[in-house]
Amino acid sequence: MTMRLGVLASGSGTNLQALLDACRDGRIGAEVALVVSNVPGARALERAAAAGVPSDCLPSKGVADRASYDAALARRLGEAGVDVVCLAGYMRIVTPTFLAA
């Protein structure tokens, strides 16, 4: 069974691209199942689309309740059947709520 990666990214997605390339080339025995950005318009979302990978944006700007945000993020990753989460240039500190999930 191939491991399903969830990738969190906030910016241009160069780390995401390295993961996409490594999965495509067989250097990582996994597939990127979902990319989530907390920044609308992040280039990482464009890279995901170009690779045919589902993506989502959960904007974090102005969100006061970090634990609720992280719970929603964890739910979205779970819905996608993600096995492992990669923080690839994700510019948010994750909470214990996210880590527990």
Side-chain angles (χ1 to χ4, degrees), residues 2 24 58 78:
T2 301
R24 181 195 64 225
L58 297 176

Side-chain angles (χ1 to χ4, degrees), residues 1-8 31-36 53-54 73-86 98 101:
M1 183 171 120
T2 301
M3 186 177 353
R4 294 174 56 82
L5 303 179
V7 180
L8 306 184
E31 66 175 318
V32 177
L34 178 67
V35 174
V36 181
V53 173
L73 180 59
R75 269 192 308 279
R76 181 64 186 99
L77 292 162
E79 291 166 359
V82 166
D83 298 308
V84 174
V85 176
C86 300
F98 184 79

Side-chain angles (χ1 to χ4, degrees), residues 34-42 45 55-60 69 76:
L34 178 67
V35 174
V36 181
S37 180
N38 63 313
V39 178
L45 297 171
S55 64
D56 204 350
C57 182
L58 297 176
S60 61
Y69 177 90
R76 181 64 186 99

Side-chain angles (χ1 to χ4, degrees), residues 6-29:
V7 180
L8 306 184
S10 296
S12 67
T14 55
N15 292 322
L16 166 63
Q17 190 64 57
L19 288 167
L20 291 167
D21 294 346
C23 289
R24 181 195 64 225
D25 298 344
R27 291 179 281 133
I28 297 175

Side-chain angles (χ1 to χ4, degrees), residues 37-38 58-60 63 65-74 90 92:
S37 180
N38 63 313
L58 297 176
S60 61
V63 173
D65 185 356
R66 296 185 123 201
S68 292
Y69 177 90
D70 279 4
L73 180 59
Y90 188 63
R92 260 182 87 79

